[in-house]
Amino acid sequence: MKAYISENKQLVLAYGCCLLLFAIQFFPFVLRHDVYIRIHDTLEGEWIWFSSIVDYGVALDTDMNTIIPSFLGGIPRFLFPSGLSFTVLFIYLFGTIGGYLVSSFVVHLIGFVGAYGLFKKYVFTDENEKHWAILIASLFSIIPFFITFGASVAGQPLLLLAFLNVLNKRTNYWEYFAIIAFPFYANIVWSAAFVNLMLVGVFLYSYQKQNAGIRFLLLLGIMDMLYLAVNYHLVYATFLADLPLQRDEYQLTINEVPGFLKSIGETFYILFIGSFHVGTFVTLPIFVLGCFNLRNKAVKYLMILALGIALLNGFYLFLVPILEKIHPLIISFNIKRVKILLPIIWMGILAYSIKDMYSFSKGRNLSYFVVFALIVSTLFANDEIVNNYRNMLGFQRKPDAHQFFASDTFEQIGNFIGREKSDYRIAHLGLNPTISQYNHFLTIDGLQAMYPLEHKNLMKTIMEEEMAKDYELVRYFDAWGNRCYLFSAELGKENRAFMISKDQDVTIQSWAVDTRLLNEHGVDYILSTVVIENAENLDLNMEAIFKNKDDFWKIYLYKIESNE
Amino acid sequence: MSNLDKILNNKWLIALTYFIVGAVTLLSIYVFIAGGDFIAILDTLY
């Protein structure tokens, strides 16, 4: 077989490509102070849940009566994530932002090491194919994984490699460590059931290897027990606590009406783009290669799996009424999260397809072109990489972490109010409550995956008149409610309604929330990024405006005038 | 001639593949330069 360049050169180039990709990805992190971190579901919520349990010293708290005061009027600690995780350890050691950067590096590194090991050992077994394992692992490692979920996605190849080695009796001890460590760095809700599904599938496929099978199942059992032990707060909240939660009243079909065309669109989206919780990247080129290689059984089955998962996601709303009848917990569990397996499935399709095509000269050119194109499009589709380079080049589009949290400004606000932060609560309009939570103010609103239903009902009463102006708000809040924010019919419910920057100068004409009721529940101030035209009618008095050159926000501080 | 060999010798199919893959890549670069968010733009397509 004629090679275009020698095997050694191929290897050097592949390693060079890998190092370059890591450098491109993590060079902006060296800047540290100006780093952009994804806001959606990360800085605006989930990452701050981890950070708060560290800040309040309750990461390893086992008392189910402990309350974390800064969120939604104060909610039980057991409704927050477990402290037994590498994520929390990194935050403890390096702080909220530093912890994110370290965790991001570790997650991507685990992704590379696992994918390289898996493909090198089980797909590209010839020495002259080794560079493909490096290239595909490099591609896998630059997928924009959702860092809040730790190694839930990035760790799958390493976990699969470990279990395959156990099954094939080729263990080297590190496999046991990887299997035991995985539950400490993965999200139980998003990964446990589906990782089990993948591993049980592998086990059944290789059922004939009896002796190794027992060890395989034993390790799987240990991993599952560890999942439950690590997430004992969640187990308590779901099965033991006598506390009605907002999740108990999810009505997903009200919020999103099922439609055939919409479902087709969603199917294509999940198939060719994925989901940001999992890691978005353009998979169309892999799909095309997969179609060329359908004669390969592995490719065929993996393509069927990818298509099945995309269809399940696309048409999930049609299944909801049936699943609800079986058991309401299934809705809360949300089986469409099986899409968390898509990145490893796509990488499998790519690896097997390239292995087949590599023996043809035309296939070889196409393989290099597709992998190169995938690397480029994945880099450019990674919002953190893109926005960090935009910031570095002076074309900023989104606030970096420090601009978002505006800690100096919030210190000024605290000083201006001049009271102990534990004496009053804050509500928000036009900005994310998580910013106050990060800055250790007590809030009445926020983004939470689980909180008491009673609090949702209270917020609904507070906003009743305002929500009556727009049925979309009622539907959005009633059916879901994880974003327990103070809504305004004029601003709407989209994320941009809570990201109003200092350059926008927005005024709302008429806001109708029950400020008396807010005040009765300890709220003395409203932080707003918009001017409230009818503030006087709401007994609101604008006390001060905070605008710092480096901040993303311009914050109006309104005080609720008490009748006392 | 294997199935894969037949596919790889189909000039039009291979040209179309190069076109699709290249177009997706160029689009992602263009969106970066234009200041948008690639995934967010695709998100609005359906």
Side-chain angles (χ1 to χ4, degrees), chain A residues 110-119 140 145 151-164 174 182 198 343-344 347:
Chain A
I110 289 173
F112 174 78
V113 171
Y116 170 69
L118 180 69
F119 294 132
F140 182 71
F145 301 116
S152 300
V153 177
Q156 286 172 26
L158 191 68
L159 190 70
L160 183 57
L161 174 66
F163 272 102
L164 282 172
W174 68 262
F182 191 75
M198 172 177 79
I344 194 173
M347 290 303 132

Side-chain angles (χ1 to χ4, degrees), chain A residues 1-4 357-358 360-368:
Chain A
M1 190 189 306
K2 186 186 169 190
Y4 293 105
M357 290 172 63
Y358 193 56
F360 301 93
S361 63
K362 282 179 184 169
R364 181 178 299 190
N365 289 339
L366 186 60
S367 301
Y368 280 120

